[in-house]
Short mmCIF file of all heavy atoms in Angstrom, two decimals:
data_model
loop_
_atom_site.label_atom_id
_atom_site.label_comp_id
_atom_site.label_asym_id
_atom_site.label_seq_id
_atom_site.Cartn_x
_atom_site.Cartn_y
_atom_site.Cartn_z
N VAL A 1 49.95 80.47 106.58
CA VAL A 1 48.54 80.20 106.88
C VAL A 1 48.29 78.70 106.91
O VAL A 1 48.66 77.98 105.98
CB VAL A 1 47.61 80.84 105.82
CG1 VAL A 1 46.15 80.67 106.23
CG2 VAL A 1 47.94 82.31 105.62
N VAL A 2 47.66 78.25 107.98
CA VAL A 2 47.24 76.85 108.12
C VAL A 2 45.73 76.82 108.13
O VAL A 2 45.08 77.44 108.98
CB VAL A 2 47.80 76.22 109.40
CG1 VAL A 2 47.30 74.78 109.54
CG2 VAL A 2 49.32 76.24 109.40
N SER A 3 45.16 76.11 107.16
CA SER A 3 43.71 75.94 107.08
C SER A 3 43.34 74.65 107.80
O SER A 3 43.82 73.57 107.44
CB SER A 3 43.29 75.87 105.61
OG SER A 3 41.93 75.56 105.49
N VAL A 4 42.51 74.75 108.83
CA VAL A 4 42.15 73.57 109.62
C VAL A 4 40.77 73.09 109.20
O VAL A 4 39.82 73.86 109.09
CB VAL A 4 42.22 73.86 111.14
CG1 VAL A 4 43.66 74.06 111.57
CG2 VAL A 4 41.40 75.07 111.53
N THR A 5 40.67 71.79 108.96
CA THR A 5 39.46 71.21 108.38
C THR A 5 38.71 70.36 109.40
O THR A 5 39.32 69.63 110.17
CB THR A 5 39.82 70.35 107.17
OG1 THR A 5 40.70 69.29 107.57
CG2 THR A 5 40.52 71.18 106.11
N PRO A 6 37.38 70.45 109.41
CA PRO A 6 36.58 69.64 110.34
C PRO A 6 36.43 68.21 109.84
O PRO A 6 36.87 67.86 108.74
CB PRO A 6 35.24 70.36 110.36
CG PRO A 6 35.13 70.95 108.99
CD PRO A 6 36.53 71.34 108.59
N ARG A 7 35.76 67.39 110.62
CA ARG A 7 35.54 66.00 110.24
C ARG A 7 34.61 65.88 109.04
O ARG A 7 34.80 65.03 108.18
CB ARG A 7 34.98 65.22 111.44
CG ARG A 7 36.01 64.98 112.52
CD ARG A 7 35.35 64.54 113.83
NE ARG A 7 36.34 64.11 114.81
CZ ARG A 7 37.06 64.94 115.55
NH1 ARG A 7 36.90 66.26 115.39
NH2 ARG A 7 37.95 64.48 116.42
N GLY A 8 33.60 66.73 109.00
CA GLY A 8 32.64 66.68 107.91
C GLY A 8 32.85 67.83 106.95
O GLY A 8 32.39 68.94 107.21
N TRP A 9 33.52 67.57 105.86
CA TRP A 9 33.73 68.68 104.93
C TRP A 9 34.02 68.15 103.53
O TRP A 9 34.52 67.05 103.34
CB TRP A 9 34.84 69.61 105.41
CG TRP A 9 36.23 69.19 105.02
CD1 TRP A 9 36.88 68.04 105.39
CD2 TRP A 9 37.14 69.92 104.22
NE1 TRP A 9 38.14 68.02 104.85
CE2 TRP A 9 38.33 69.17 104.12
CE3 TRP A 9 37.07 71.16 103.56
CZ2 TRP A 9 39.43 69.60 103.40
CZ3 TRP A 9 38.18 71.58 102.84
CH2 TRP A 9 39.34 70.81 102.77
N ALA A 10 33.64 68.94 102.55
CA ALA A 10 33.92 68.65 101.15
C ALA A 10 33.85 69.99 100.42
O ALA A 10 33.25 70.95 100.90
CB ALA A 10 32.90 67.68 100.60
N LEU A 11 34.48 70.03 99.26
CA LEU A 11 34.49 71.25 98.48
C LEU A 11 34.13 70.94 97.03
O LEU A 11 34.46 69.86 96.52
CB LEU A 11 35.89 71.90 98.51
CG LEU A 11 36.39 72.44 99.84
CD1 LEU A 11 37.83 72.89 99.70
CD2 LEU A 11 35.52 73.59 100.34
N PRO A 12 33.48 71.88 96.34
CA PRO A 12 33.29 71.71 94.89
C PRO A 12 34.64 71.58 94.21
O PRO A 12 35.66 72.05 94.73
CB PRO A 12 32.56 73.00 94.47
CG PRO A 12 31.98 73.55 95.75
CD PRO A 12 32.89 73.12 96.85
N ALA A 13 34.66 70.97 93.04
CA ALA A 13 35.92 70.69 92.35
C ALA A 13 36.74 71.95 92.11
O ALA A 13 37.97 71.95 92.32
CB ALA A 13 35.63 69.98 91.03
N ASN A 14 36.10 73.05 91.69
CA ASN A 14 36.83 74.29 91.43
C ASN A 14 37.49 74.83 92.70
O ASN A 14 38.65 75.26 92.68
CB ASN A 14 35.89 75.36 90.86
CG ASN A 14 35.66 75.18 89.37
OD1 ASN A 14 36.47 74.59 88.68
ND2 ASN A 14 34.55 75.71 88.88
N GLU A 15 36.73 74.80 93.79
CA GLU A 15 37.27 75.32 95.04
C GLU A 15 38.39 74.43 95.58
O GLU A 15 39.41 74.91 96.08
CB GLU A 15 36.16 75.46 96.08
CG GLU A 15 36.59 76.09 97.39
CD GLU A 15 37.15 77.50 97.22
OE1 GLU A 15 36.63 78.26 96.37
OE2 GLU A 15 38.10 77.84 97.95
N ALA A 16 38.22 73.12 95.45
CA ALA A 16 39.27 72.19 95.87
C ALA A 16 40.55 72.44 95.07
O ALA A 16 41.67 72.41 95.62
CB ALA A 16 38.81 70.75 95.71
N SER A 17 40.40 72.71 93.77
CA SER A 17 41.55 72.99 92.92
C SER A 17 42.25 74.28 93.36
O SER A 17 43.49 74.37 93.34
CB SER A 17 41.11 73.11 91.46
OG SER A 17 42.18 73.46 90.62
N TYR A 18 41.47 75.28 93.77
CA TYR A 18 42.07 76.55 94.24
C TYR A 18 42.88 76.32 95.51
O TYR A 18 44.01 76.83 95.64
CB TYR A 18 40.96 77.57 94.48
CG TYR A 18 41.45 78.89 95.03
CD1 TYR A 18 42.36 79.66 94.34
CD2 TYR A 18 40.97 79.37 96.25
CE1 TYR A 18 42.80 80.88 94.83
CE2 TYR A 18 41.39 80.59 96.75
CZ TYR A 18 42.31 81.34 96.05
OH TYR A 18 42.74 82.55 96.54
N ARG A 19 42.33 75.55 96.45
CA ARG A 19 43.07 75.28 97.67
C ARG A 19 44.37 74.51 97.36
O ARG A 19 45.41 74.75 97.97
CB ARG A 19 42.22 74.47 98.64
CG ARG A 19 40.84 75.04 98.96
CD ARG A 19 40.87 76.29 99.80
NE ARG A 19 39.52 76.77 100.05
CZ ARG A 19 38.84 76.55 101.17
NH1 ARG A 19 39.37 75.85 102.15
NH2 ARG A 19 37.61 77.04 101.31
N GLU A 20 44.29 73.58 96.41
CA GLU A 20 45.48 72.83 96.01
C GLU A 20 46.53 73.75 95.38
O GLU A 20 47.73 73.57 95.56
CB GLU A 20 45.10 71.71 95.04
CG GLU A 20 44.29 70.59 95.69
CD GLU A 20 43.67 69.65 94.68
OE1 GLU A 20 43.93 69.84 93.46
OE2 GLU A 20 42.93 68.74 95.09
N TRP A 21 46.05 74.74 94.63
CA TRP A 21 46.95 75.72 94.01
C TRP A 21 47.68 76.53 95.09
O TRP A 21 48.90 76.74 95.01
CB TRP A 21 46.14 76.62 93.09
CG TRP A 21 46.91 77.70 92.39
CD1 TRP A 21 47.83 77.56 91.39
CD2 TRP A 21 46.79 79.12 92.64
NE1 TRP A 21 48.29 78.79 91.00
CE2 TRP A 21 47.67 79.76 91.74
CE3 TRP A 21 46.03 79.89 93.51
CZ2 TRP A 21 47.82 81.15 91.69
CZ3 TRP A 21 46.16 81.27 93.47
CH2 TRP A 21 47.05 81.88 92.57
N LEU A 22 46.96 76.96 96.12
CA LEU A 22 47.58 77.68 97.23
C LEU A 22 48.64 76.81 97.91
O LEU A 22 49.74 77.27 98.23
CB LEU A 22 46.53 78.10 98.25
CG LEU A 22 45.47 79.12 97.80
CD1 LEU A 22 44.46 79.36 98.92
CD2 LEU A 22 46.12 80.44 97.37
N SER A 23 48.30 75.54 98.12
CA SER A 23 49.23 74.62 98.77
C SER A 23 50.45 74.34 97.90
O SER A 23 51.58 74.30 98.38
CB SER A 23 48.50 73.32 99.12
OG SER A 23 49.38 72.39 99.74
N ALA A 24 50.22 74.12 96.58
CA ALA A 24 51.33 73.82 95.67
C ALA A 24 52.33 74.97 95.60
O ALA A 24 53.53 74.74 95.43
CB ALA A 24 50.78 73.50 94.28
N ASN A 25 51.83 76.19 95.75
CA ASN A 25 52.71 77.35 95.77
C ASN A 25 53.41 77.52 97.12
O ASN A 25 54.30 78.38 97.24
CB ASN A 25 51.93 78.62 95.43
CG ASN A 25 51.72 78.80 93.94
OD1 ASN A 25 52.66 79.09 93.20
ND2 ASN A 25 50.50 78.58 93.48
N GLY A 26 52.99 76.74 98.11
CA GLY A 26 53.61 76.81 99.43
C GLY A 26 53.08 77.90 100.32
O GLY A 26 53.61 78.14 101.40
N TRP A 27 52.00 78.58 99.89
CA TRP A 27 51.50 79.74 100.63
C TRP A 27 50.60 79.34 101.80
O TRP A 27 50.48 80.10 102.77
CB TRP A 27 50.71 80.65 99.70
CG TRP A 27 51.49 81.12 98.53
CD1 TRP A 27 52.85 81.31 98.46
CD2 TRP A 27 50.98 81.49 97.24
NE1 TRP A 27 53.21 81.76 97.22
CE2 TRP A 27 52.08 81.88 96.44
CE3 TRP A 27 49.71 81.53 96.69
CZ2 TRP A 27 51.93 82.31 95.12
CZ3 TRP A 27 49.55 81.95 95.38
CH2 TRP A 27 50.66 82.34 94.60
N ALA A 28 49.94 78.21 101.72
CA ALA A 28 49.03 77.77 102.78
C ALA A 28 48.97 76.25 102.74
O ALA A 28 49.11 75.63 101.69
CB ALA A 28 47.63 78.35 102.57
N LYS A 29 48.77 75.65 103.92
CA LYS A 29 48.66 74.20 104.02
C LYS A 29 47.43 73.85 104.84
O LYS A 29 46.94 74.66 105.63
CB LYS A 29 49.90 73.61 104.68
CG LYS A 29 51.20 73.84 103.91
CD LYS A 29 51.24 73.08 102.59
CE LYS A 29 52.57 73.27 101.87
NZ LYS A 29 52.61 72.55 100.58
N GLN A 30 46.93 72.64 104.65
CA GLN A 30 45.76 72.16 105.37
C GLN A 30 46.17 71.16 106.45
O GLN A 30 47.14 70.43 106.30
CB GLN A 30 44.78 71.47 104.42
CG GLN A 30 44.05 72.44 103.51
CD GLN A 30 43.05 71.76 102.60
OE1 GLN A 30 42.34 72.43 101.85
NE2 GLN A 30 42.96 70.45 102.65
N LEU A 31 45.37 71.13 107.52
CA LEU A 31 45.59 70.19 108.62
C LEU A 31 44.25 69.87 109.25
O LEU A 31 43.52 70.78 109.64
CB LEU A 31 46.54 70.81 109.66
CG LEU A 31 46.98 69.93 110.83
CD1 LEU A 31 47.76 68.72 110.33
CD2 LEU A 31 47.85 70.74 111.78
N PRO A 32 43.88 68.60 109.34
CA PRO A 32 42.61 68.24 109.98
C PRO A 32 42.61 68.64 111.46
O PRO A 32 43.63 68.47 112.15
CB PRO A 32 42.53 66.72 109.82
CG PRO A 32 43.45 66.41 108.68
CD PRO A 32 44.56 67.41 108.77
N ILE A 33 41.50 69.14 111.93
CA ILE A 33 41.40 69.49 113.35
C ILE A 33 41.65 68.27 114.22
O ILE A 33 42.27 68.38 115.29
CB ILE A 33 40.01 70.10 113.65
CG1 ILE A 33 39.88 71.47 112.97
CG2 ILE A 33 39.78 70.24 115.16
CD1 ILE A 33 38.50 72.09 113.09
N ALA A 34 41.23 67.10 113.75
CA ALA A 34 41.43 65.87 114.53
C ALA A 34 42.90 65.53 114.72
O ALA A 34 43.25 64.77 115.63
CB ALA A 34 40.70 64.71 113.85
N GLN A 35 43.78 66.08 113.87
CA GLN A 35 45.22 65.83 113.99
C GLN A 35 45.98 67.05 114.49
O GLN A 35 47.22 67.08 114.49
CB GLN A 35 45.79 65.41 112.63
CG GLN A 35 45.18 64.15 112.07
CD GLN A 35 45.66 63.84 110.66
OE1 GLN A 35 46.70 64.34 110.22
NE2 GLN A 35 44.92 63.01 109.94
N LEU A 36 45.25 68.06 114.94
CA LEU A 36 45.86 69.34 115.30
C LEU A 36 46.41 69.28 116.72
O LEU A 36 45.68 69.05 117.69
CB LEU A 36 44.81 70.44 115.18
CG LEU A 36 45.24 71.88 115.40
CD1 LEU A 36 46.31 72.28 114.39
CD2 LEU A 36 44.03 72.82 115.29
N ASN A 37 47.71 69.50 116.84
CA ASN A 37 48.38 69.62 118.13
C ASN A 37 49.62 70.47 117.92
O ASN A 37 50.00 70.75 116.77
CB ASN A 37 48.71 68.25 118.72
CG ASN A 37 49.61 67.43 117.82
OD1 ASN A 37 50.73 67.84 117.49
ND2 ASN A 37 49.12 66.26 117.39
N PRO A 38 50.29 70.92 118.97
CA PRO A 38 51.45 71.79 118.78
C PRO A 38 52.53 71.21 117.86
O PRO A 38 53.10 71.93 117.03
CB PRO A 38 51.97 72.00 120.21
CG PRO A 38 50.74 71.92 121.05
CD PRO A 38 49.90 70.84 120.40
N ASP A 39 52.81 69.91 117.97
CA ASP A 39 53.86 69.31 117.14
C ASP A 39 53.46 69.28 115.66
O ASP A 39 54.26 69.65 114.78
CB ASP A 39 54.18 67.89 117.61
CG ASP A 39 54.91 67.87 118.94
OD1 ASP A 39 55.56 68.89 119.26
OD2 ASP A 39 54.83 66.85 119.65
N SER A 40 52.24 68.82 115.36
CA SER A 40 51.81 68.77 113.96
C SER A 40 51.71 70.17 113.38
O SER A 40 51.99 70.38 112.19
CB SER A 40 50.47 68.03 113.84
OG SER A 40 49.43 68.75 114.51
N PHE A 41 51.33 71.11 114.20
CA PHE A 41 51.22 72.51 113.77
C PHE A 41 52.59 73.05 113.34
O PHE A 41 52.73 73.64 112.26
CB PHE A 41 50.64 73.33 114.91
CG PHE A 41 50.40 74.78 114.60
CD1 PHE A 41 49.73 75.18 113.45
CD2 PHE A 41 50.83 75.78 115.48
CE1 PHE A 41 49.49 76.52 113.17
CE2 PHE A 41 50.60 77.12 115.21
CZ PHE A 41 49.94 77.48 114.06
N LEU A 42 53.62 72.80 114.14
CA LEU A 42 54.96 73.26 113.79
C LEU A 42 55.46 72.60 112.51
O LEU A 42 56.09 73.24 111.66
CB LEU A 42 55.95 72.98 114.92
CG LEU A 42 56.01 73.97 116.09
CD1 LEU A 42 57.15 73.61 117.02
CD2 LEU A 42 56.17 75.40 115.58
N ASP A 43 55.18 71.32 112.36
CA ASP A 43 55.61 70.62 111.16
C ASP A 43 55.00 71.24 109.90
O ASP A 43 55.68 71.42 108.88
CB ASP A 43 55.22 69.14 111.23
CG ASP A 43 56.07 68.37 112.24
OD1 ASP A 43 57.14 68.87 112.62
OD2 ASP A 43 55.63 67.27 112.65
N VAL A 44 53.71 71.55 109.97
CA VAL A 44 53.05 72.16 108.82
C VAL A 44 53.56 73.58 108.57
O VAL A 44 53.79 73.98 107.42
CB VAL A 44 51.52 72.16 109.02
CG1 VAL A 44 50.83 72.98 107.95
CG2 VAL A 44 50.98 70.73 108.99
#
């Protein structure tokens, strides 16, 4: 799962920690929409 983030976004501390937990486990990663392209997508 790749979570794509918009230019304007923020999360409460608890929710940000949960997303970091998902990422630290390797289950999901984040990618800004502004950097989203086929190559960056494959890398993630």
Side-chain angles (χ1 to χ4, degrees):
V1 186
V2 177
S3 173
V4 291
T5 60
R7 288 165 171 79
W9 85 298
L11 294 173
N14 279 337
E15 185 60 36
S17 177
Y18 177 59
R19 307 290 180 99
E20 290 168 4
W21 179 70
L22 295 177
S23 179
N25 279 289
W27 303 332
K29 298 292 183 181
Q30 288 182 177
L31 185 62
I33 292 174
Q35 300 174 20
L36 185 61
N37 59 60
D39 289 336
S40 65
F41 183 49
L42 278 187
D43 288 342
V44 171

